[in-house]
Amino acid sequence: MKESRSAFFAHHDPALIDKIRKAVVSIAGAGGLGSNVAYSLARVGIGKLIIADFDIIEISNLNRQQYFIDQVGQLKVDALKHNLGKIQPFSEYIMHNIKIDEDNISQIFGEADLLIEAFDKAVMKKMLIEKWISLFPDKPVICASGLAGYGRNDIIGIQKIDNLYICGDQISETSGSISPMAPRVGIVANMQANLALEILFQDISAGSCNENID
Amino acid sequence: MKILIKVNDNPLEWEKNMTIDTILKKMKYSFKMLVVKVNGELVKKSEFGNFIIPEEADVKVIHLISGG
């Protein structure tokens, strides 16, 4: 196990490994955004992921969420923990089967270096952002807004306001005719994950454009 | 001389007694779920009608849209 753990990290820049292992990232939601963010951060090897969701997997979720047809009916947090463990078992995955509200944000997510907002409903996004900013003004929160439909890669961007980051196009709303689809949800989720790494590693100069990738 | 404020980095002419509601109307921001910061300070929705925008304010408006 120890050998495979070292082998898992063999391709990383050694300067990053300590940061990666000590990092704690909270993810609010385990749907299209959250499951994709979790997959990427687990593959990076982030030391601890704290993930909260209260939903059960439905067959309609499989168009964009990182679950499998034999997991339909399971709690998302249980299925995601299982799937992340199959990717790599060297990180800690702390799962909470709970609906997040203003009163439990601090207790559930407060330990993290940063929070990734991965909710579906705008009203929940707003609640989470406003509460996090007031609780932890110095800890970054990375949100997603505007990711429904397909195409239009070029209008997906990032807005930064102090420690609040918004990934997405801030236009495309999920509605009857425009549903979220795997590629665009995956792009925005991975922008969130990528931005999380940039923030976690910001004081390491070797970071973002490593020329020694083989 | 005109006094300007910035709304998501776009210049907008400042007016006396300007509120967040005034700005949202002028900028034609029609989404319901917004997070607004003025000079780095979070302003709650209940304050949108009476929070007076200072001269040369830096206003950020984020649209929160369902989907995830």
Side-chain angles (χ1 to χ4, degrees), chain A residues 64 120-122 125-126 130 145 159 161-162 164 166 170-174, chain B residues 8 31 33-35 37 40 42 44 60-68:
Chain A
R64 66 192 189 284
D120 179 26
K121 293 194 174 73
K125 291 174 185 282
K126 182 181 158 75
E130 293 192 338
S145 177
Q159 190 183 358
I161 302 162
D162 308 318
L164 166 62
I166 303 97
Q170 295 192 47
I171 300 173
S172 300
E173 187 157 26
T174 307
Chain B
N8 289 350
F31 282 109
M33 216 51 77
L34 302 171
V35 169
K37 286 185 114 183
L42 188 71
K44 293 268 175 135
K60 302 283 191 186
V61 180
I62 301 144
H63 296 115
L64 294 177
I65 302 171
S66 287

Side-chain angles (χ1 to χ4, degrees), chain A residues 187-208:
Chain A
I187 287 168
V188 174
N190 276 296
M191 279 180 87
Q192 291 181 286
N194 196 28
L195 187 54
L197 299 186
E198 190 175 342
I199 293 167
L200 291 168
F201 306 152
Q202 59 196 347
D203 52 343
I204 295 175
S205 54
S208 55

